[in-house]
Amino acid sequence: MSQLQFHPVWKDKLTLKQKEELLTFFEEQAPITGKFDAVLVRGKYKKNEGAVATVLLRNGYEKLLDIKQAIVEITDSANHLVAAEKFELDLSLKGDSALPWSFVFSRESVKKADVDSANWKIHVDLQEEIQTKKE
């Protein structure tokens, strides 16, 4: 049975309503097995011309996944690049679970600033990951 986990910072900062909304979104997703993926929860452009994408990072493996680096791309419905950036992370994602996370893109990373965020697609390419023993 897949579960939703929260990073300690998120656990303390999110309201009960925000946690419930994320849980509902999580429960609406089709389960995955034997792979990692990311699902866009919401996105927006920032006032400083950057962007932020809140995603569910989903670990369909049975093992704990330690994520250290990722290249994250946002594309539009025609697969044109909206934003891309490499992120240094320190996240642990339990086996068969999901974790909400926000990627904040700098202004320099944004290539198209006029795409409706409802049409964004997210691609998270793990550059450095460590699968540890089965939990």
Side-chain angles (χ1 to χ4, degrees), residues 2-135:
S2 192
Q3 64 178 352
L4 181 65
Q5 67 181 72
F6 291 97
H7 186 277
V9 172
W10 284 55
K11 192 179 256 186
D12 295 339
K13 299 269 182 194
L14 293 178
T15 66
L16 181 58
K17 181 179 179 191
Q18 290 170 315
K19 290 177 186 174
E20 289 172 351
E21 288 170 351
L22 285 166
L23 181 60
T24 299
F25 183 85
F26 166 73
E27 290 172 342
E28 292 171 347
Q29 304 305 306
I32 62 168
T33 304
K35 67 178 183 174
F36 167 85
D37 81 357
V39 179
L40 183 68
V41 176
R42 67 183 150 268
K44 68 177 185 175
Y45 290 102
K46 298 174 61 169
K47 290 180 183 175
N48 70 358
E49 299 177 9
V52 62
T54 300
V55 301
L56 272 184
L57 300 173
R58 304 190 322 153
N59 180 4
Y61 299 108
E62 294 180 359
K63 298 178 180 183
L64 179 74
L65 193 59
D66 285 327
I67 303 170
K68 302 300 179 191
Q69 295 178 352
I71 294 176
V72 183
E73 294 180 341
I74 300 169
T75 57
D76 64 14
S77 57
N79 286 326
H80 295 120
L81 187 63
V82 173
E85 192 161 333
K86 183 175 182 178
F87 294 91
E88 300 292 328
L89 304 167
D90 187 14
L91 299 175
S92 292
L93 186 52
K94 294 178 183 175
D96 196 28
S97 69
L99 174 83
W101 194 253
S102 289
F103 293 101
V104 180
F105 295 82
S106 67
R107 179 177 67 178
E108 295 77 23
S109 298
V110 175
K111 307 304 178 200
K112 288 179 78 172
D114 59 348
V115 177
D116 182 353
S117 62
N119 294 321
W120 287 6
K121 292 188 275 183
I122 195 83
H123 309 278
V124 178
D125 182 16
L126 301 181
Q127 298 297 294
E128 186 178 334
E129 66 193 72
I130 302 164
Q131 287 187 31
T132 57
K133 64 184 177 199
K134 187 173 178 177
E135 298 169 81

